[in-house]
Amino acid sequence: MQNSDIIKIENLTKRFHMGEGDFTALRNINLAFGKGEFTGLVGPSGSGKTTLLNIIGSLDNPTEGKAIVLGNSVSELTHKQSAVLRNFHIGFIFQTYNLLSVYTVFDNVEFALLLQKHTVTERQKMVMEALDWVGLADKAKSKPAQLSGGECQRVSIARAMVKRPEIVLADEPSANLDAANSHHIIQTMKKLNRELNTTFIFATHDEKVMLYLDRIIHLKDGMVEKDELVPESKTKSHVSL
Amino acid sequence: MLAFKLAFKNLIGAGLRTWLNVSVLSFAFVVIVFYNGMLDGWNRQGRSDTVAWETGNGQYWHPLYDRYDPFSLQDAHATVTGEAAKLVKENQLLPMLITQATAYPQGRLLNVMLKGIDPNQEILSIPSASLKPQNGEIPALIGKRMAESAHLKKGDHVLVRWRDVNGTFDAREVQVVDIFKSNVPTVDVSQVYIPLSILQEMTGMKDEATLLVASATLSSTQIKGWTFKDTKFLLKDFDEMINAKKGGSRILYLLLLTLALLAIFDTQVLSVFRRQKEIGTYIALGMTRLQVIRLFTVEGSMHSLLALILGSLYGIPLMLFINKYGIPMPKSADQAGVAISERIFPFYSLGMLVSTILLVVISATIVSYFPTRRISKMRPTDALKGKMQ
């Protein structure tokens, strides 16, 4: 948290065309995220959490202001540069897992490495290591349809982490999971955050997730309502993972 | 390579839908190859039969001769002298004298072409050896079609009337000494062959001929007083007929191909629509839109490669079987007026196979590409949500 900022959001506003008018999803946001943070964007539906994650992930562009991710201004990147940024430096975890159904667990995790053009041996090693992190090495040959929701989300975490990105963006990762699975996957991510010093940014309104966060940014109506650091003693961070 | 690997996985993963498309396309593929092979086989057999029975390795025509104008026959004859006579002696040229005549089989009237041919010739397949005169009769050779239409059989006598060089009518009976069977109707229908020397004597055209047929070993050479017509010219009608047939069959197989391509197009449109979330995921994982478009295009076009493999699995044994036994032609094909064998043996040339493969693969790639252009207009954030765009 005290490390240098790897994401800077400066006076960011995002508007969407809705029918004849505009809908402002984010208003004049100013934020910074350091390396190794475990941060949550918290707020009700429509507060702008996902929109902010999408902009940080260079899936969308700000209407005004700047989002600087790992030194790159998102709005100034070409499609190709955005793709490279996402491929090498950003991992995504989605609420609905977004696993490729015709691929095996191994293939799903391997996908990003294929784009990075690793050799077969490297890929094999990295994928199995990532599946080990999430405890699914024995399911490498299974198809997503054969897995439970919790297992699918763990595959999704492995897919995001296999390329060792600097940033992982998780959009409501526990929304489709029961309590036990929610704790399990958040603990897995917390462990990876500690071991690999990866920055995790969540969009969530799940209180179970909030228990593990080091920093909580409250968004409301597209504005930062509160940006609070959670003392270590109050988080589950101190729990042995 | 990555696009091929991923596309292959996606295609196989799509299961039944893929195999339905592939089956239809493979059928179109096999039908196209079969049709083209059959026409090429017919073409080759027809050309080779026509060359063997009628045109030889080209013909030297009297300058006034026109095969489509019977009026020209009266004056289209000349004495074979000089270089031409020398080549005839060397069996390099076969002189034929042609005159119009009227035959009266069983009292009926039939316009025929009376053709004088050397009984010892070996340049054409016409079995002229049977024309050696015996017992003072004029031996005549006719084809099976002519025999059927004139109700003539071997040994029959038939009255033939012709005009000699001076335009005087004369008539004599000829005896049918043999009936030959040929795939080339133009050497058969309304044709009566008699020995060249006898026809020359009957018409008063001693040592004269209407045309000279070149042997296979004779390379085209200028002969004074005669106009050379090569096989390309002589087979022009046949080529035009084959091309017309090809045009007709093209309509049929293009319809079939269109149906198969429509199925792929439909699948692609549906894929882009239904797999938006997947497209969004690809982009989130680091693919560019162009890479996703390429992936979907390759996926669509790979239908054609799978169709090629599937088509080969059942098409090759089927075609080998047909190639061995041929396709029997109906009896009525005899009356078609074109050179056609009793059985057609398809011929599959490398060029035809390559062009068919290219046609199928390229057209499948084009129809696969068009629906994927929508991807370039998709917002990845909406695609990830699977929102209709």
Coordinates of all heavy atoms in Angstrom, one line a residue, chain A residues 10-46:
Chain A
E10 N -7.2 10.4 -12.6 CA -7.2 11.9 -12.4 C -8.4 12.5 -13.0 O -8.6 12.4 -14.3 CB -5.9 12.4 -13.0 CG -4.7 12.0 -12.3 CD -3.4 12.3 -13.1 OE1 -3.5 12.9 -14.2 OE2 -2.3 12.0 -12.6
N11 N -9.2 13.1 -12.2 CA -10.4 13.9 -12.7 C -11.3 13.1 -13.7 O -11.7 13.6 -14.7 CB -10.0 15.2 -13.3 CG -9.2 16.0 -12.4 OD1 -9.4 16.1 -11.2 ND2 -8.1 16.6 -12.9
L12 N -11.4 11.8 -13.4 CA -12.1 10.9 -14.4 C -13.6 11.0 -14.4 O -14.2 10.9 -13.3 CB -11.6 9.5 -14.2 CG -12.1 8.5 -15.2 CD1 -11.0 7.4 -15.4 CD2 -13.3 7.8 -14.8
T13 N -14.1 11.3 -15.5 CA -15.6 11.3 -15.7 C -15.9 10.3 -16.8 O -15.2 10.3 -17.8 CB -16.1 12.7 -16.0 OG1 -15.8 13.5 -14.9 CG2 -17.6 12.7 -16.3
K14 N -17.0 9.5 -16.6 CA -17.5 8.7 -17.7 C -18.9 8.8 -17.9 O -19.7 8.7 -17.0 CB -17.1 7.2 -17.4 CG -17.6 6.2 -18.4 CD -16.9 6.3 -19.7 CE -17.4 5.3 -20.7 NZ -16.7 5.5 -22.0
R15 N -19.3 9.2 -19.2 CA -20.7 9.3 -19.5 C -21.1 8.3 -20.6 O -20.3 8.0 -21.4 CB -21.0 10.7 -20.1 CG -21.0 11.8 -19.0 CD -21.4 13.1 -19.5 NE -20.7 14.2 -18.8 CZ -19.7 14.8 -19.2 NH1 -19.1 14.5 -20.4 NH2 -19.1 15.7 -18.4
F16 N -22.3 7.8 -20.5 CA -22.8 6.9 -21.5 C -24.0 7.6 -22.2 O -24.8 8.2 -21.5 CB -23.3 5.6 -20.9 CG -22.2 4.7 -20.4 CD1 -22.0 4.7 -19.0 CD2 -21.3 4.1 -21.2 CE1 -20.9 3.9 -18.5 CE2 -20.3 3.3 -20.7 CZ -20.1 3.2 -19.3
H17 N -24.1 7.3 -23.5 CA -25.3 7.8 -24.2 C -26.5 6.9 -23.9 O -26.4 5.7 -24.0 CB -25.1 7.8 -25.7 CG -24.1 8.8 -26.1 ND1 -24.3 10.2 -26.0 CD2 -22.8 8.7 -26.6 CE1 -23.2 10.8 -26.4 NE2 -22.3 10.0 -26.8
M18 N -27.5 7.4 -23.4 CA -28.7 6.6 -23.0 C -29.9 7.3 -23.7 O -30.3 8.3 -23.3 CB -29.0 6.6 -21.5 CG -27.8 6.1 -20.7 SD -27.8 4.3 -20.7 CE -28.9 3.9 -19.5
G19 N -30.3 6.7 -24.8 CA -31.5 7.3 -25.5 C -31.1 8.7 -26.0 O -30.1 8.8 -26.8
E20 N -31.8 9.7 -25.6 CA -31.5 11.0 -26.1 C -30.6 11.8 -25.2 O -30.0 12.8 -25.6 CB -32.9 11.8 -26.3 CG -33.7 11.3 -27.4 CD -35.0 12.0 -27.6 OE1 -35.2 13.0 -26.9 OE2 -35.8 11.6 -28.4
G21 N -30.4 11.3 -24.0 CA -29.5 12.0 -23.0 C -28.3 11.2 -22.7 O -28.0 10.2 -23.4
D22 N -27.6 11.7 -21.7 CA -26.3 11.1 -21.2 C -26.5 10.6 -19.8 O -27.2 11.2 -19.0 CB -25.2 12.1 -21.3 CG -24.6 12.2 -22.6 OD1 -25.0 11.4 -23.5 OD2 -23.7 13.0 -22.8
F23 N -25.9 9.5 -19.5 CA -25.9 9.0 -18.1 C -24.5 9.1 -17.6 O -23.5 8.6 -18.3 CB -26.4 7.5 -18.1 CG -26.2 6.9 -16.7 CD1 -26.9 7.2 -15.6 CD2 -25.1 5.9 -16.6 CE1 -26.6 6.6 -14.4 CE2 -24.9 5.3 -15.4 CZ -25.7 5.7 -14.3
T24 N -24.3 9.8 -16.5 CA -22.9 9.9 -16.0 C -22.7 8.8 -15.0 O -23.3 8.7 -13.9 CB -22.8 11.3 -15.3 OG1 -23.1 12.3 -16.3 CG2 -21.3 11.5 -14.9
A25 N -21.8 7.9 -15.3 CA -21.5 6.7 -14.5 C -20.4 7.1 -13.4 O -20.5 6.6 -12.3 CB -21.1 5.6 -15.3
L26 N -19.5 7.9 -13.8 CA -18.4 8.3 -12.9 C -18.2 9.8 -13.0 O -18.2 10.4 -14.1 CB -17.1 7.6 -13.3 CG -17.1 6.1 -13.1 CD1 -15.8 5.5 -13.7 CD2 -17.1 5.7 -11.6
R27 N -18.1 10.5 -11.8 CA -17.9 11.9 -11.9 C -16.6 12.3 -11.2 O -16.5 12.0 -10.0 CB -19.0 12.6 -11.1 CG -20.4 12.5 -11.7 CD -21.4 12.9 -10.6 NE -22.7 12.3 -10.9 CZ -23.7 12.9 -11.6 NH1 -23.4 14.2 -12.0 NH2 -24.8 12.4 -11.8
N28 N -15.8 12.9 -11.9 CA -14.6 13.6 -11.3 C -13.9 12.7 -10.3 O -13.7 13.1 -9.1 CB -15.0 14.9 -10.7 CG -13.8 15.8 -10.6 OD1 -12.8 15.7 -11.4 ND2 -13.8 16.7 -9.6
I29 N -13.5 11.5 -10.7 CA -12.8 10.6 -9.7 C -11.3 10.8 -9.7 O -10.7 11.0 -10.7 CB -13.1 9.1 -10.2 CG1 -14.6 8.8 -10.3 CG2 -12.4 8.1 -9.2 CD1 -15.3 8.6 -9.0
N30 N -10.8 10.9 -8.5 CA -9.3 11.0 -8.3 C -8.9 9.9 -7.3 O -9.4 9.9 -6.2 CB -9.0 12.3 -7.8 CG -9.1 13.4 -8.8 OD1 -8.2 13.5 -9.7 ND2 -10.2 14.2 -8.7
L31 N -8.2 9.0 -7.8 CA -7.7 7.8 -7.0 C -6.3 7.4 -7.4 O -5.9 7.7 -8.5 CB -8.7 6.6 -7.1 CG -10.1 6.7 -6.5 CD1 -10.9 5.5 -7.0 CD2 -10.0 6.7 -5.0
A32 N -5.7 6.7 -6.5 CA -4.4 6.1 -6.8 C -4.3 4.8 -6.1 O -4.9 4.6 -5.0 CB -3.3 7.0 -6.3
F33 N -3.7 3.8 -6.8 CA -3.6 2.5 -6.3 C -2.1 2.1 -6.3 O -1.4 2.2 -7.3 CB -4.4 1.4 -7.1 CG -5.9 1.7 -7.1 CD1 -6.4 2.6 -8.1 CD2 -6.7 1.2 -6.2 CE1 -7.8 2.9 -8.2 CE2 -8.1 1.4 -6.3 CZ -8.6 2.3 -7.2
G34 N -1.6 1.6 -5.2 CA -0.2 1.2 -5.1 C 0.0 -0.3 -5.4 O -1.0 -1.1 -5.4
K35 N 1.2 -0.7 -5.5 CA 1.5 -2.1 -5.8 C 1.2 -2.9 -4.5 O 1.5 -2.5 -3.4 CB 3.0 -2.2 -6.2 CG 3.4 -3.6 -6.6 CD 4.5 -3.6 -7.6 CE 4.9 -5.0 -8.0 NZ 3.8 -5.8 -8.6
G36 N 0.6 -4.1 -4.8 CA 0.3 -5.0 -3.7 C -1.0 -4.7 -2.9 O -1.2 -5.3 -1.9
E37 N -1.7 -3.7 -3.4 CA -3.0 -3.4 -2.6 C -4.0 -4.5 -2.8 O -4.0 -5.2 -3.8 CB -3.6 -2.1 -3.2 CG -3.0 -0.8 -2.6 CD -3.8 0.4 -3.0 OE1 -5.1 0.2 -3.2 OE2 -3.3 1.5 -3.0
F38 N -4.9 -4.5 -1.8 CA -6.0 -5.5 -1.8 C -7.2 -4.6 -1.5 O -7.6 -4.5 -0.4 CB -5.8 -6.6 -0.8 CG -6.6 -7.8 -1.1 CD1 -6.2 -8.7 -2.1 CD2 -7.6 -8.2 -0.3 CE1 -6.8 -9.9 -2.3 CE2 -8.3 -9.4 -0.6 CZ -7.9 -10.2 -1.6
T39 N -7.7 -4.0 -2.6 CA -8.7 -2.9 -2.4 C -10.0 -3.3 -3.0 O -10.1 -4.0 -4.0 CB -8.1 -1.7 -3.2 OG1 -6.9 -1.3 -2.6 CG2 -9.1 -0.5 -3.1
G40 N -11.1 -2.8 -2.4 CA -12.4 -3.0 -2.9 C -13.1 -1.7 -3.3 O -13.0 -0.7 -2.6
L41 N -13.8 -1.7 -4.4 CA -14.7 -0.6 -4.8 C -16.1 -1.1 -4.3 O -16.6 -2.1 -4.8 CB -14.7 -0.4 -6.3 CG -13.3 -0.1 -6.9 CD1 -13.4 -0.1 -8.4 CD2 -12.8 1.2 -6.4
V42 N -16.6 -0.4 -3.4 CA -17.8 -0.9 -2.8 C -18.9 0.1 -3.0 O -18.7 1.4 -3.0 CB -17.6 -1.0 -1.3 CG1 -18.9 -1.4 -0.5 CG2 -16.5 -2.1 -1.0
G43 N -20.1 -0.4 -3.3 CA -21.2 0.5 -3.5 C -22.4 -0.2 -4.1 O -22.3 -1.3 -4.5
P44 N -23.6 0.4 -4.0 CA -24.7 -0.2 -4.6 C -24.7 -0.3 -6.1 O -23.8 0.3 -6.8 CB -25.9 0.7 -4.2 CG -25.2 2.0 -4.0 CD -23.8 1.8 -3.6
S45 N -25.6 -1.1 -6.7 CA -25.6 -1.2 -8.1 C -25.8 0.2 -8.8 O -26.5 1.0 -8.3 CB -26.8 -2.0 -8.6 OG -26.6 -3.3 -8.1
G46 N -25.1 0.4 -9.9 CA -25.1 1.7 -10.6 C -24.2 2.8 -10.0 O -24.3 3.9 -10.4

